[in-house]
């Protein structure tokens, strides 16, 4: 049995706890409105929800490279259903956990770099990149998704406490 490094274990614990919250938000995405966007410059509901669902996989894959190549931020594909979003989330979290579990504490404190056209765009400890983009970036977009739901009059689930629609403490 492989022992997971303490720093990786802490990231995995947070990722899996937050995945349950993310699942509650994605379960509310109405299939009838996947093509809806609040503004012409905004992603559609489906694109944003897919981005949220796929984040653990895509970011952990980037963090596994060193140096990493700056990704091509192509437009997110449109999901066909809420069930597809949940399937993407499950696979994404599993892939993220697997990649994190393979990292030692030394890997996590090592300087991670991302490059584009031979130039270094960013350099930081790998754990800082994971905290910033795997987790904080994920929460940011999940928050955007709750605003989309509110604008569509979809009941917003509890995230860290009561929402105007749901109180887990009552």
């Amino acid at each position: 049995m492989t022992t997971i490094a303490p720093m990786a274990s802490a990231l995995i614990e947070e990722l899996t706890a937050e995945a349950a919250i993310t699942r509650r938000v994605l379960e509310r995405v109405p299939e009838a409105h996947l093509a809806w966007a609040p503004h012409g410059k905004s992603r559609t509901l489906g694109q944003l929800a897919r981005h949220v669902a796929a984040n653990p996989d895509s970011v952990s894959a980037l963090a596994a490279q060193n140096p990493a190549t700056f990704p091509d931020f192509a437009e997110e594909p449109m999901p066909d259903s809420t069930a597809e979003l949940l399937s993407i989330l499950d696979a994404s979290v599993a892939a993220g956990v697997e990649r994190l579990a393979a990292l030692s504490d030394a890997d996590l404190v090592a300087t991670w770099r991302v490059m584009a056209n031979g130039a270094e765009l960013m350099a930081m400890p790998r754990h800082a990149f994971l905290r910033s983009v795997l987790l904080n970036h994920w929460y940011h977009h999940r928050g955007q998704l709750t605003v989309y739901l509110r604008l569509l009059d979809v009941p917003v689930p509890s995230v860290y406490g009561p929402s105007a629609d749901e109180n887990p403490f009552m």
Side-chain angles (χ1 to χ4, degrees):
M1 179 164 190
T2 305
T3 302
I4 298 174
M7 290 177 70
S9 181
L11 288 167
I12 290 167
E13 185 177 322
E14 184 172 348
L15 176 65
T16 56
E18 293 292 333
I21 297 168
T22 301
R23 171 174 278 284
R24 285 199 310 266
V25 173
L26 290 172
E27 286 172 341
R28 304 284 174 101
V29 171
E31 291 177 4
H33 294 288
L34 290 173
W36 178 85
H39 188 275
K41 293 182 180 180
S42 300
R43 290 178 176 170
T44 67
L45 172 65
Q47 290 168 324
L48 178 60
R50 190 180 192 295
H51 181 69
V52 168
N55 187 69
D57 182 22
S58 60
V59 175
S60 65
L62 192 62
Q65 305 169 39
N66 199 14
T69 301
F70 193 73
D72 176 15
F73 291 108
E75 190 171 292
E76 291 284 342
M78 182 69 76
D80 293 323
S81 66
T82 304
E84 180 184 351
L85 291 169
L86 297 174
S87 178
I88 291 168
L89 176 68
D90 291 342
S92 179
V93 170
V97 166
E98 184 176 335
R99 285 191 193 99
L100 291 174
L103 297 172
S104 68
D105 282 350
D107 293 330
L108 288 163
V109 298
T111 300
W112 174 87
R113 292 175 164 74
V114 65
M115 311 291 286
N117 301 318
E120 182 177 275
L121 299 180
M122 191 182 326
M124 64 181 67
R126 186 179 272 116
H127 72 86
F129 171 73
L130 289 165
R131 160 69 43 211
S132 178
V133 182
L134 175 65
L135 298 171
N136 296 347
H137 173 83
W138 198 27
Y139 310 151
H140 160 73
H141 285 303
R142 185 178 68 198
Q144 284 182 311
L145 191 53
T146 65
V147 172
Y148 279 38
L149 295 177
R150 174 65 67 224
L151 292 171
L152 288 168
D153 283 330
V154 174
V156 175
S158 166
V159 173
Y160 296 120
S163 74
D165 304 303
E166 184 176 290
N167 186 347
F169 307 119
M170 304 291 282

